[in-house]
Short mmCIF file of all heavy atoms in Angstrom, two decimals:
data_model
loop_
_atom_site.label_atom_id
_atom_site.label_comp_id
_atom_site.label_asym_id
_atom_site.label_seq_id
_atom_site.Cartn_x
_atom_site.Cartn_y
_atom_site.Cartn_z
N THR A 99 17.83 81.55 167.16
CA THR A 99 17.19 82.95 167.08
C THR A 99 17.81 83.87 168.10
O THR A 99 17.12 84.79 168.55
CB THR A 99 15.68 82.92 167.12
OG1 THR A 99 15.28 82.54 168.47
CG2 THR A 99 15.06 82.03 166.07
N GLU A 100 19.02 83.56 168.59
CA GLU A 100 19.70 84.37 169.58
C GLU A 100 20.98 84.95 169.03
O GLU A 100 21.49 84.61 167.95
CB GLU A 100 20.00 83.59 170.84
CG GLU A 100 18.81 83.01 171.56
CD GLU A 100 17.95 84.07 172.21
OE1 GLU A 100 18.33 85.23 172.26
OE2 GLU A 100 16.83 83.75 172.64
N ALA A 101 21.52 85.95 169.72
CA ALA A 101 22.80 86.54 169.29
C ALA A 101 23.95 85.57 169.58
O ALA A 101 24.02 84.89 170.61
CB ALA A 101 22.96 87.81 170.19
N CYS A 102 24.82 85.55 168.65
CA CYS A 102 25.92 84.59 168.67
C CYS A 102 27.26 85.28 168.41
O CYS A 102 27.31 86.18 167.51
CB CYS A 102 25.73 83.40 167.68
SG CYS A 102 24.23 82.44 167.99
N PHE A 103 28.27 84.93 169.11
CA PHE A 103 29.58 85.58 169.05
C PHE A 103 30.69 84.60 169.00
O PHE A 103 30.58 83.46 169.40
CB PHE A 103 29.71 86.50 170.29
CG PHE A 103 28.60 87.50 170.46
CD1 PHE A 103 27.49 87.17 171.18
CD2 PHE A 103 28.72 88.81 169.95
CE1 PHE A 103 26.45 88.12 171.39
CE2 PHE A 103 27.76 89.72 170.20
CZ PHE A 103 26.61 89.40 170.85
N LEU A 104 31.85 85.14 168.53
CA LEU A 104 33.10 84.40 168.44
C LEU A 104 34.10 85.27 169.23
O LEU A 104 34.39 86.44 168.81
CB LEU A 104 33.52 84.09 167.01
CG LEU A 104 34.60 82.97 166.88
CD1 LEU A 104 34.04 81.69 167.27
CD2 LEU A 104 34.97 82.97 165.40
N GLY A 105 34.68 84.75 170.28
CA GLY A 105 35.62 85.51 171.10
C GLY A 105 37.00 84.87 171.21
O GLY A 105 37.12 83.64 171.04
N VAL A 106 37.99 85.71 171.49
CA VAL A 106 39.37 85.16 171.73
C VAL A 106 39.90 85.78 173.01
O VAL A 106 39.34 86.74 173.58
CB VAL A 106 40.32 85.61 170.58
CG1 VAL A 106 39.88 84.98 169.24
CG2 VAL A 106 40.37 87.12 170.42
N LEU A 107 40.96 85.18 173.57
CA LEU A 107 41.58 85.65 174.83
C LEU A 107 42.66 86.65 174.49
O LEU A 107 43.51 86.50 173.65
CB LEU A 107 42.14 84.41 175.56
CG LEU A 107 42.64 84.67 176.97
CD1 LEU A 107 41.43 85.03 177.89
CD2 LEU A 107 43.38 83.50 177.47
N SER A 108 42.64 87.76 175.25
CA SER A 108 43.66 88.79 175.13
C SER A 108 44.13 89.21 176.59
O SER A 108 43.41 89.98 177.26
CB SER A 108 43.09 90.05 174.41
OG SER A 108 44.13 91.04 174.31
N GLY A 109 45.21 88.60 176.99
CA GLY A 109 45.61 88.80 178.42
C GLY A 109 44.64 88.20 179.34
O GLY A 109 44.33 86.95 179.31
N ASN A 110 44.05 88.97 180.25
CA ASN A 110 43.07 88.53 181.17
C ASN A 110 41.65 88.96 180.78
O ASN A 110 40.70 89.00 181.59
CB ASN A 110 43.32 88.96 182.63
CG ASN A 110 43.57 90.44 182.72
OD1 ASN A 110 42.95 91.25 182.04
ND2 ASN A 110 44.44 90.82 183.59
N SER A 111 41.52 89.30 179.55
CA SER A 111 40.18 89.73 178.96
C SER A 111 39.82 88.93 177.77
O SER A 111 40.70 88.20 177.20
CB SER A 111 40.24 91.20 178.58
OG SER A 111 40.54 92.05 179.66
N THR A 112 38.57 88.95 177.41
CA THR A 112 38.17 88.32 176.17
C THR A 112 37.69 89.41 175.14
O THR A 112 37.27 90.54 175.58
CB THR A 112 36.98 87.36 176.37
OG1 THR A 112 35.84 88.14 176.84
CG2 THR A 112 37.31 86.32 177.42
N VAL A 113 37.91 89.20 173.84
CA VAL A 113 37.63 90.18 172.91
C VAL A 113 36.78 89.50 171.80
O VAL A 113 37.15 88.45 171.28
CB VAL A 113 38.80 90.80 172.24
CG1 VAL A 113 38.49 91.79 171.17
CG2 VAL A 113 39.70 91.43 173.32
N THR A 114 35.64 90.13 171.40
CA THR A 114 34.76 89.59 170.30
C THR A 114 35.40 89.89 168.96
O THR A 114 35.73 91.03 168.68
CB THR A 114 33.40 90.19 170.40
OG1 THR A 114 32.77 89.84 171.62
CG2 THR A 114 32.52 89.67 169.26
N ILE A 115 35.57 88.82 168.10
CA ILE A 115 36.08 89.06 166.79
C ILE A 115 35.14 88.87 165.66
O ILE A 115 35.31 89.27 164.53
CB ILE A 115 37.36 88.10 166.55
CG1 ILE A 115 36.85 86.67 166.58
CG2 ILE A 115 38.47 88.44 167.50
CD1 ILE A 115 38.04 85.71 166.10
N ALA A 116 33.92 88.36 166.02
CA ALA A 116 32.86 88.15 165.07
C ALA A 116 31.58 87.97 165.77
O ALA A 116 31.57 87.49 166.89
CB ALA A 116 33.12 86.93 164.13
N GLU A 117 30.54 88.47 165.12
CA GLU A 117 29.13 88.39 165.82
C GLU A 117 28.08 88.30 164.79
O GLU A 117 28.26 88.74 163.62
CB GLU A 117 28.94 89.58 166.69
CG GLU A 117 28.96 90.91 165.99
CD GLU A 117 28.79 92.14 166.81
OE1 GLU A 117 28.94 91.98 168.10
OE2 GLU A 117 28.61 93.22 166.31
N HIS A 118 26.98 87.69 165.17
CA HIS A 118 25.79 87.72 164.35
C HIS A 118 24.60 87.89 165.29
O HIS A 118 24.34 87.00 166.12
CB HIS A 118 25.64 86.42 163.51
CG HIS A 118 24.49 86.45 162.49
ND1 HIS A 118 24.61 87.08 161.29
CD2 HIS A 118 23.22 85.96 162.60
CE1 HIS A 118 23.41 86.98 160.67
NE2 HIS A 118 22.57 86.30 161.41
N VAL A 119 23.93 88.97 165.07
CA VAL A 119 22.78 89.30 166.02
C VAL A 119 21.50 89.44 165.20
O VAL A 119 21.29 90.45 164.54
CB VAL A 119 23.08 90.64 166.74
CG1 VAL A 119 21.99 90.87 167.79
CG2 VAL A 119 24.41 90.47 167.50
N PRO A 120 20.65 88.43 165.23
CA PRO A 120 19.37 88.55 164.48
C PRO A 120 18.50 89.56 165.10
O PRO A 120 18.58 89.92 166.24
CB PRO A 120 18.77 87.17 164.62
CG PRO A 120 19.39 86.53 165.79
CD PRO A 120 20.76 87.11 165.88
N ALA A 121 17.60 90.09 164.33
CA ALA A 121 16.68 91.15 164.81
C ALA A 121 15.86 90.69 166.04
O ALA A 121 15.61 91.41 166.91
CB ALA A 121 15.79 91.63 163.66
N SER A 122 15.46 89.35 166.05
CA SER A 122 14.77 88.87 167.11
C SER A 122 15.41 88.82 168.42
O SER A 122 14.75 88.72 169.50
CB SER A 122 14.27 87.40 166.70
OG SER A 122 15.43 86.55 166.56
N ALA A 123 16.76 88.98 168.39
CA ALA A 123 17.56 88.96 169.71
C ALA A 123 17.32 90.17 170.43
O ALA A 123 17.52 90.25 171.70
CB ALA A 123 19.01 88.74 169.46
N ASN A 124 16.91 91.30 169.78
CA ASN A 124 16.66 92.54 170.45
C ASN A 124 17.90 93.13 171.32
O ASN A 124 17.72 93.63 172.41
CB ASN A 124 15.43 92.41 171.40
CG ASN A 124 14.16 92.22 170.59
OD1 ASN A 124 14.03 92.77 169.51
ND2 ASN A 124 13.31 91.39 171.18
N LEU A 125 19.15 92.90 170.78
CA LEU A 125 20.26 93.45 171.42
C LEU A 125 20.76 94.68 170.66
O LEU A 125 20.81 94.67 169.45
CB LEU A 125 21.45 92.45 171.44
CG LEU A 125 21.19 91.16 172.37
CD1 LEU A 125 22.37 90.32 172.39
CD2 LEU A 125 20.88 91.67 173.79
N VAL A 126 21.09 95.66 171.34
CA VAL A 126 21.49 96.90 170.76
C VAL A 126 22.98 97.14 170.85
O VAL A 126 23.63 96.84 171.95
CB VAL A 126 20.75 98.19 171.46
CG1 VAL A 126 21.19 99.46 170.83
CG2 VAL A 126 19.26 97.99 171.37
N GLY A 127 23.65 97.57 169.74
CA GLY A 127 25.08 97.82 169.79
C GLY A 127 25.88 96.57 169.34
O GLY A 127 25.38 95.51 169.26
N SER A 128 27.19 96.86 169.21
CA SER A 128 28.11 95.81 168.82
C SER A 128 29.13 95.56 169.87
O SER A 128 29.59 96.50 170.53
CB SER A 128 28.74 96.21 167.46
OG SER A 128 29.78 95.30 167.11
N TRP A 129 29.62 94.27 169.89
CA TRP A 129 30.67 93.95 170.88
C TRP A 129 31.99 93.76 170.13
O TRP A 129 33.00 93.44 170.77
CB TRP A 129 30.31 92.70 171.65
CG TRP A 129 29.53 92.99 172.86
CD1 TRP A 129 28.16 93.00 173.03
CD2 TRP A 129 30.04 93.47 174.13
NE1 TRP A 129 27.77 93.33 174.28
CE2 TRP A 129 28.92 93.65 175.04
CE3 TRP A 129 31.32 93.71 174.64
CZ2 TRP A 129 29.07 94.10 176.30
CZ3 TRP A 129 31.48 94.18 175.90
CH2 TRP A 129 30.33 94.37 176.75
N LEU A 130 32.05 93.97 168.83
CA LEU A 130 33.27 93.69 168.13
C LEU A 130 34.47 94.59 168.59
O LEU A 130 34.36 95.79 168.78
CB LEU A 130 33.03 94.12 166.62
CG LEU A 130 32.27 93.04 165.73
CD1 LEU A 130 31.99 93.58 164.40
CD2 LEU A 130 33.00 91.68 165.75
N GLY A 131 35.50 93.87 168.96
CA GLY A 131 36.76 94.51 169.39
C GLY A 131 36.72 95.06 170.81
O GLY A 131 37.71 95.65 171.31
N ARG A 132 35.62 94.83 171.53
CA ARG A 132 35.49 95.34 172.92
C ARG A 132 35.96 94.31 173.90
O ARG A 132 35.44 93.20 173.92
CB ARG A 132 34.09 95.74 173.18
CG ARG A 132 33.56 96.96 172.36
CD ARG A 132 32.09 97.10 172.46
NE ARG A 132 31.66 97.37 173.89
CZ ARG A 132 30.34 97.45 174.26
NH1 ARG A 132 29.38 97.35 173.32
NH2 ARG A 132 30.11 97.67 175.55
N PRO A 133 36.94 94.63 174.76
CA PRO A 133 37.37 93.65 175.84
C PRO A 133 36.40 93.57 177.00
O PRO A 133 35.68 94.49 177.30
CB PRO A 133 38.74 94.21 176.21
CG PRO A 133 38.57 95.71 176.03
CD PRO A 133 37.71 95.88 174.85
N TYR A 134 36.42 92.42 177.67
CA TYR A 134 35.57 92.28 178.87
C TYR A 134 36.40 91.27 179.77
O TYR A 134 37.02 90.33 179.28
CB TYR A 134 34.19 91.66 178.47
CG TYR A 134 33.18 92.03 179.49
CD1 TYR A 134 32.54 93.27 179.45
CD2 TYR A 134 32.81 91.10 180.48
CE1 TYR A 134 31.54 93.55 180.40
CE2 TYR A 134 31.84 91.48 181.42
CZ TYR A 134 31.22 92.73 181.36
OH TYR A 134 30.26 93.03 182.32
N PRO A 135 36.27 91.47 181.06
CA PRO A 135 37.05 90.66 182.03
C PRO A 135 36.73 89.16 181.79
O PRO A 135 35.56 88.71 181.83
CB PRO A 135 36.56 91.15 183.33
CG PRO A 135 36.13 92.51 183.18
CD PRO A 135 35.52 92.53 181.76
N ALA A 136 37.78 88.34 181.59
CA ALA A 136 37.61 86.88 181.23
C ALA A 136 36.96 86.15 182.40
O ALA A 136 36.29 85.11 182.17
CB ALA A 136 38.86 86.26 180.88
N TYR A 137 37.14 86.62 183.68
CA TYR A 137 36.61 85.87 184.75
C TYR A 137 35.07 85.82 184.83
O TYR A 137 34.43 84.94 185.43
CB TYR A 137 37.16 86.30 186.08
CG TYR A 137 36.78 87.76 186.52
CD1 TYR A 137 35.56 88.05 187.15
CD2 TYR A 137 37.63 88.80 186.27
CE1 TYR A 137 35.24 89.28 187.54
CE2 TYR A 137 37.28 90.09 186.63
CZ TYR A 137 36.09 90.37 187.30
OH TYR A 137 35.71 91.63 187.64
N CYS A 138 34.44 86.74 184.13
CA CYS A 138 32.99 86.77 184.15
C CYS A 138 32.33 87.00 182.72
O CYS A 138 31.13 87.06 182.61
CB CYS A 138 32.42 87.87 185.10
SG CYS A 138 32.80 89.54 184.52
N SER A 139 33.16 86.99 181.71
CA SER A 139 32.60 87.17 180.36
C SER A 139 31.98 85.87 179.85
O SER A 139 32.24 84.74 180.38
CB SER A 139 33.77 87.57 179.38
OG SER A 139 34.49 86.48 178.95
N ASP A 140 31.23 86.02 178.79
CA ASP A 140 30.51 84.81 178.20
C ASP A 140 31.52 83.81 177.62
O ASP A 140 31.19 82.62 177.67
CB ASP A 140 29.59 85.33 177.08
CG ASP A 140 28.60 86.35 177.62
OD1 ASP A 140 27.85 86.02 178.54
OD2 ASP A 140 28.50 87.46 177.01
#
Side-chain angles (χ1 to χ4, degrees):
T99 66
E100 298 293 349
C102 298
F103 302 87
L104 197 64
V106 298
L107 189 67
S108 178
N110 54 34
S111 299
T112 64
V113 178
T114 299
I115 61 170
E117 63 185 11
H118 187 81
V119 183
S122 58
N124 294 322
L125 290 184
V126 180
S128 171
W129 273 97
L130 283 175
R132 294 169 59 183
Y134 206 81
Y137 65 84
C138 66
S139 80
D140 303 305

